[in-house]
């Protein structure tokens, strides 16, 4: 199984809503990532988890709150988002450690904030 | 400026070769990658090259790396309509696996 799954595929939310994005992998990967991709732009790294601990936060606003409840799951909790947060949110996973480790990407959640 | 740059668009005819170019600024990049993204989908790793290599070939794909000029290219032989997508080059450096992506090149393949 080399698949990273993400739910939901699409999400529309208001600025006062609280919602969560979910990501799951069963490849035994111990590094998991959240990326944000705006239209016609490259993915931008938001967070990296290594062995279920947050290792990198790329100065992401606190209205985005990541959580890694176990080695297979990664969540992104959303609260009080702005319309400019509308984007494709991609999850990825990889082996951890030095050297080359392919990042496997999920299909993404397309988020629209009204 | 951006760490990794690509041209925005490339159009080729089916059966021709496509060459997508990328330049990067950081000479300490360890690995360089080519990812493919189809509409509405995530990213798929096509190939990668270690920074001490000059060339890597994998079936229809050939990657060339010029470290002196910090230039990376991806050649797709016998381009097919299914190759139409956005192609991102990316780099990673040092410990860990953080990727920095270029802006992406949209490849359009005409029948």
């Amino acid at each position: 199984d080399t698949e990273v799954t993400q739910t939901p595929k699409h999400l529309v939310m208001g600025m006062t809503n609280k919602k969560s994005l979910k990501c799951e992998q069963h490849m035994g990967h111990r590094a998991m990532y959240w990326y944000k991709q705006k239209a016609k732009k490259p993915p931008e790294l938001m967070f990296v988890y290594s062995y279920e601990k947050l290792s990198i936060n790329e100065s992401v606003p606190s209205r985005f709150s990541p959580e890694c409840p176990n080695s297979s799951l990664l969540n992104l909790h959303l609260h009080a988002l702005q319309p400019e947060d509308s984007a494709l949110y991609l999850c990825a996973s990889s082996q951890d450690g030095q050297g080359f480790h392919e990042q496997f990407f999920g299909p993404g959640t397309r988020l629209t904030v009204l | 400026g951006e760490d990794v740059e690509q041209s925005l668009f490339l159009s080729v005819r089916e059966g021709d070769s496509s060459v997508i170019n990328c330049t990067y600024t950081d000479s300490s990049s360890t690995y360089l990658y080519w990812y493919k993204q189809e509409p509405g989908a995530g990213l798929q790793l096509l190939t990668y090259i270690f920074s001490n290599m000059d060339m890597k070939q994998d079936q229809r794909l050939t990657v060339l790396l010029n470290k002196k000029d910090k230039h990376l290219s991806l050649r797709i032989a016998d381009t097919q309509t299914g190759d139409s997508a956005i192609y991102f080059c990316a780099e990673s450096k040092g410990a860990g696996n953080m990727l920095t992506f270029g802006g992406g090149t949209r490849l359009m393949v005409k029948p």
Side-chain angles (χ1 to χ4, degrees):
Chain A
D1 181 7
T2 58
E3 192 180 20
V4 176
T5 58
Q6 291 187 242
T7 54
K9 285 189 176 179
H10 301 275
L11 178 62
V12 180
M13 61 186 290
M15 290 190 284
T16 58
N17 293 155
K18 285 185 181 181
K19 297 286 183 184
S20 297
L21 309 185
K22 296 186 185 303
C23 173
E24 191 166 1
Q25 57 88 15
H26 295 286
M27 295 177 276
H29 290 167
R30 303 310 294 268
M32 296 186 77
Y33 312 77
W34 279 116
Y35 289 85
K36 174 182 177 179
Q37 186 179 21
K38 301 280 282 183
K40 300 187 191 305
K41 295 290 186 183
E44 293 179 347
L45 184 67
M46 299 174 73
F47 302 104
V48 181
Y49 272 82
S50 175
Y51 290 85
E52 295 103 70
K53 289 187 172 23
L54 182 65
S55 61
I56 294 171
N57 176 341
E58 291 286 290
S59 303
V60 180
S62 60
R63 58 185 185 267
F64 295 92
S65 175
E67 179 198 17
C68 190
N70 61 56
S71 60
S72 299
L73 292 174
L74 184 67
N75 299 322
L76 186 63
H77 302 299
L78 313 173
H79 174 53
L81 293 195
Q82 303 297 310
E84 60 264 28
D85 297 322
S86 298
L88 181 69
Y89 288 84
L90 295 165
C91 172
S93 70
S94 73
Q95 300 286 0
D96 205 347
Q98 295 217 14
F100 172 72
H101 299 297
E102 179 179 353
Q103 285 191 30
F104 291 82
F105 282 81
T109 293
R110 188 161 298 281
L111 174 67
T112 302
V113 182
L114 301 176
Chain B
E2 289 188 6
D3 293 330
V4 183
E5 293 192 358
Q6 302 176 236
S7 52
L8 285 177
F9 187 75
L10 177 65
S11 178
V12 301
R13 292 218 171 268
E14 193 173 19
D16 288 350
S17 292
S18 308
V19 179
I20 303 172
N21 294 302
C22 172
T23 57
Y24 59 99
T25 56
D26 194 333
S27 57
S28 66
S29 297
T30 310
Y31 292 95
L32 295 130
Y33 311 81
W34 284 104
Y35 279 86
K36 176 183 180 183
Q37 186 176 33
E38 299 188 48
L43 278 73
Q44 173 196 356
L45 179 65
L46 289 177
T47 186
Y48 68 96
I49 189 167
F50 189 50
S51 58
N52 68 354
M53 296 169 65
D54 298 323
M55 186 183 93
K56 181 177 181 181
Q57 187 152 4
D58 183 1
Q59 299 182 332
R60 292 191 298 124
L61 305 178
T62 303
V63 179
L64 295 178
L65 175 60
N66 181 328
K67 276 198 78 172
K68 175 175 165 290
D69 295 338
K70 301 189 185 66
H71 183 266
L72 181 74
S73 68
L74 174 70
R75 179 177 181 270
I76 306 173
D78 187 25
T79 314
Q80 303 297 307
T81 54
D83 294 323
S84 294
I86 299 176
Y87 290 80
F88 291 97
C89 67
E91 60 166 3
S92 65
K93 48 182 166 282
N97 203 17
M98 288 178 58
L99 296 174
T100 300
F101 288 90
T105 299
R106 181 177 295 275
L107 174 65
M108 178 180 290
V109 183
K110 298 179 181 176

